[in-house]
Amino acid sequence: MIHIEGHEGGKGDSGLRPRVDNGRCCWCALCVEVCPTGSLSLTKEYNFVSDDPNDFLWIPGVDNPEGKDKLSFTSGTDTSLNDFKRIPMPEMEGMERVKSFAEVVLGYNEEMAREEASRCISCGLCTEVCPEHMHIPEYINAIATGNDADALRIIYDNNPLPEMCGKVCTRRCEDVCAIATRGDSVAIRWLKRYATETAATSDLVYDIVNPEIRPANGKTVGIIGAGPSGLTAAYYLALRGYDVNIYEANAKAGGMTMYGIPKYRFPLDSLDKQIEYIEKIGVKINYNTKVGKDISFDKIYKENDAVFMGVGFPKAWTLGIDGEDAQGSMQAVNYLHMINAGEEVEIGDKVAVIGGGNVAIDAARVSARMGADVTILYRRRVEDMPADWEEIEGAEDEGINIVPQAIPIKVHKDKNGKVESVEYLMAEMVADDKGGRPKPVAIEGSNKILKVTAVMGAIGQQGDYSFLEDYSEKIKEERGRFVVNDMQQTTDPKVFAGGDAVNRTADAISAIADGFRAVKGIEEFLLGVK
């Protein structure tokens, strides 16, 4: 595999291309049979003589172009040696699972995991696109060969929250899987889930991973927020001998993975197991400790050698329409937080959710489990929804109605100030002259009224950095996010940051990657070690 001028690579593309030594080719055609994309082929029309062995080094598609007109052997999905069909994941049936918060996905058994793992060809494109650059082919190969303990150790090398990723990761790695070119991508997320679930308790995880914890180095790091980025930074810093304290405003760790993801997707005992393991290696978490209220940022800053902020995006955007202050009108992210915290929330029997992302889908599916008839109003088409396609299908399977091209304009109240209905306009999709996705434009006079007992907005979130107080001038923000360098270091050299407050990807694996990079940055800052 070599670099070719004009092929710089990009997302899911290493930029490398194959070069074949035709002088040593024995014409077995196995390369054609195993090529997942079907881009290799052979020709019988080959007559070439040279005294120089290097003359036989040809790049398919670049050298010997006349051979394209004389193809004699190609492969299709029916003749390829690859297995293009994924092992299906067992799930609870749609209308049965909506009756409870039981986990929807049932998981692979050992036989299914081995068979699915054997489909991987170890091309490594998945590792290239993964924000954390996890060792994906290595742990999948370990599963395929029956070495589950090895798979777990490989996974924990650069991800301390892998069971979470095995259940709710956005799995961009699967989007670039070479097998997906002509079939189903390897179920990378589900295989990670399988491997991590083979260790049922935090004690078993500790025994199998057997983490090497370096002697104390005398340095202290304060971490604000026990979300994925903060937990990751804390874990690897503790392994390297740092004294680490996390300050978490809530009663449980996990950030949005705890308070924003419904438990039918990510059960509480699964999260607890991972947090317990992180605490076992020496990370101290101060729960119910809100920075700016229970402890000042100034105190954390002055008492530690470095500070990491993984504070997320806790504040929801409002819809900005008339009547939004009605009783029963709320923000979806707040609703999910209250439900996951065990609080009672009155929503009635008919709910409208405004938005098309994962938060909107989660709020809708949770509301259905609370017995409500749920409608999602989304201003664009269903195919434009930013939510995971599996989550959209899951919502539809559970009887949730999705109304596309619907733009809410008003929440109507009854005489007691409670939500009575939501009014919306239908939209037409207008092409973007600049080549972007079509824009929704409201159709005048297309008003519709939907009778509801609750309205939930899910159109985005923002950060809350009021806890910084006097330090806000030293720590620069741009467009609502902290400015950081390649090592997650802010404009105050002592302070690092990661997660939603830094990157726009808004997923757990990107936050984990931020935390991992920050560890390297903190090491370089405090110890001069690269």
Side-chain angles (χ1 to χ4, degrees):
M1 302 293 290
I2 62 169
H3 283 287
I4 302 176
E5 186 177 352
H7 292 273
E8 302 303 324
K11 183 178 179 180
D13 182 356
S14 64
L16 301 175
R17 294 296 182 269
R19 181 167 63 184
V20 180
D21 187 349
N22 289 276
R24 292 193 292 169
C25 177
C26 67
W27 305 94
C28 69
L30 280 175
C31 60
V32 178
E33 292 280 26
V34 301
C35 180
T37 64
S39 58
L40 291 181
S41 55
L42 284 180
T43 173
K44 291 184 293 186
E45 306 283 341
Y46 180 44
N47 184 15
F48 185 79
V49 179
S50 174
D51 293 329
D52 185 356
N54 291 325
D55 288 345
F56 294 89
L57 299 177
W58 290 352
I59 301 169
V62 177
D63 300 312
N64 193 30
E66 64 273 11
K68 291 183 179 180
D69 300 326
K70 303 173 182 178
L71 298 181
S72 60
F73 184 77
T74 59
S75 73
T77 55
D78 55 338
T79 60
S80 173
L81 296 179
N82 294 305
D83 186 352
F84 291 102
K85 190 172 183 181
R86 175 185 287 198
I87 301 299
M89 171 57 69
E91 291 185 352
M92 291 179 64
E93 191 273 333
M95 298 314 294
E96 181 63 30
R97 67 193 185 216
V98 79
K99 298 176 183 177
S100 73
F101 279 80
E103 192 169 7
V104 170
V105 175
L106 302 180
Y108 284 148
N109 60 30
E110 182 178 341
E111 180 183 357
M112 296 164 75
R114 303 271 185 264
E115 187 173 351
E116 178 62 23
S118 68
R119 298 176 59 229
C120 177
I121 62 171
S122 298
C123 67
L125 289 175
C126 47
T127 296
E128 290 292 326
V129 78
C130 174
E132 181 65 342
H133 300 302
M134 292 191 68
H135 316 303
I136 297 170
E138 290 83 356
Y139 76 69
I140 289 181
N141 181 63
I143 295 171
T145 55
N147 297 315
D148 294 338
D150 282 347
L152 196 66
R153 283 188 284 270
I154 293 167
I155 288 170
Y156 269 92
D157 179 63
N158 61 349
N159 188 341
L161 297 165
E163 191 166 322
M164 176 183 70
C165 291
K167 294 176 185 289
V168 298
C169 186
T170 47
R171 73 200 187 295
R172 279 175 275 166
C173 51
E174 295 183 15
D175 293 338
V176 301
C177 177
I179 297 295
T181 306
R182 294 194 290 175
D184 301 326
S185 62
V186 174
I188 299 171
R189 178 174 62 177
W190 299 145
L191 289 172
K192 188 187 297 98
R193 172 196 173 117
Y194 165 80
T196 55
E197 286 187 335
T198 58
T201 67
S202 59
D203 288 334
L204 281 173
V205 174
Y206 192 95
D207 290 342
I208 294 171
V209 175
N210 191 24
E212 178 188 351
I213 305 174
R214 298 177 190 171
N217 60 22
K219 301 291 186 180
T220 63
V221 180
I223 294 180
I224 303 172
S229 66
L231 289 169
T232 300
Y235 176 76
Y236 291 108
L237 286 168
L239 288 181
R240 287 161 168 77
Y242 292 84
D243 183 9
V244 183
N245 268 282
I246 300 179
Y247 300 92
E248 169 55 45
N250 292 299
K252 284 186 170 290
M256 286 300 292
T257 60
M258 165 61 206
Y259 291 100
I261 298 178
K263 297 309 144 192
Y264 62 81
R265 290 179 60 198
F266 187 28
L268 185 58
D269 58 353
S270 176
L271 177 59
D272 284 345
K273 180 180 80 174
Q274 293 170 93
I275 302 302
E276 287 171 6
Y277 169 67
I278 290 173
E279 290 179 312
K280 281 181 186 297
I281 60 103
V283 173
K284 296 178 286 293
I285 305 177
N286 301 280
Y287 295 102
N288 297 309
T289 306
K290 185 176 179 61
V291 178
K293 177 184 176 184
D294 302 306
I295 187 173
S296 69
F297 180 81
D298 180 66
K299 181 177 176 64
I300 295 172
Y301 185 92
K302 290 177 178 177
E303 292 183 353
N304 290 278
D305 298 297
V307 178
F308 177 85
M309 302 184 298
V311 294
F313 259 25
K315 291 176 62 177
W317 290 107
T318 58
L319 296 172
I321 60 177
D322 289 343
E324 194 176 5
D325 59 344
Q327 184 180 343
S329 175
M330 64 195 77
Q331 304 309 314
V333 68
N334 298 336
Y335 172 67
L336 292 171
H337 188 287
M338 290 186 288
I339 293 296
N340 283 0
E343 299 177 28
E344 294 287 335
V345 186
E346 178 58 46
I347 60 172
D349 59 356
K350 290 186 183 299
V351 173
V353 179
I354 316 300
N358 281 328
V359 172
I361 298 293
D362 286 343
R365 296 178 72 181
V366 168
S367 298
R369 281 163 172 75
M370 294 298 181
D373 179 19
V374 185
T375 299
I376 294 175
L377 302 177
Y378 180 55
R379 64 194 186 112
R380 298 180 186 271
R381 302 165 300 183
V382 171
E383 56 264 38
D384 298 321
M385 293 177 78
D388 191 310
W389 63 267
E390 285 184 345
E391 298 305 311
I392 297 171
E393 288 185 353
E396 292 175 330
D397 289 345
E398 293 168 8
I400 291 166
N401 182 36
I402 299 177
V403 180
Q405 296 170 232
I407 302 176
I409 58 172
K410 185 175 183 178
V411 175
H412 293 274
K413 312 174 188 177
D414 64 16
K415 60 183 180 180
N416 297 315
K418 294 182 178 180
V419 169
E420 184 176 62
S421 63
V422 59
E423 183 177 355
Y424 61 96
L425 293 171
M426 299 307 298
E428 60 178 341
M429 303 306 293
V430 177
D432 183 3
D433 295 337
K434 297 181 180 179
R437 61 179 180 170
K439 297 178 180 179
V441 177
I443 301 171
E444 188 176 349
S446 64
N447 306 56
K448 294 183 181 293
I449 299 289
L450 178 66
K451 293 284 187 180
V452 293
T453 53
V455 175
M456 299 179 188
I459 61 169
Q461 292 152 239
Q462 59 184 318
D464 179 4
Y465 312 133
S466 57
F467 67 89
L468 288 173
E469 297 179 343
D470 295 340
Y471 288 85
S472 59
E473 294 182 3
K474 292 182 64 178
I475 302 173
K476 186 179 179 181
E477 300 171 39
E478 281 186 2
R479 297 183 179 181
R481 287 179 165 86
F482 295 121
V483 175
V484 298
N485 63 16
D486 292 342
M487 290 290 102
Q488 306 299 132
Q489 192 174 36
T490 70
T491 48
D492 182 326
K494 186 176 176 178
V495 181
F496 297 74
D500 290 350
V502 169
N503 72 65
R504 298 183 179 277
T505 311
D507 61 10
I509 190 64
S510 296
I512 289 169
D514 287 348
F516 195 71
R517 275 191 300 272
V519 171
K520 299 174 183 178
I522 291 170
E523 289 249 279
E524 184 173 338
F525 172 67
L526 295 181
L527 303 180
V529 176
K530 288 194 176 183

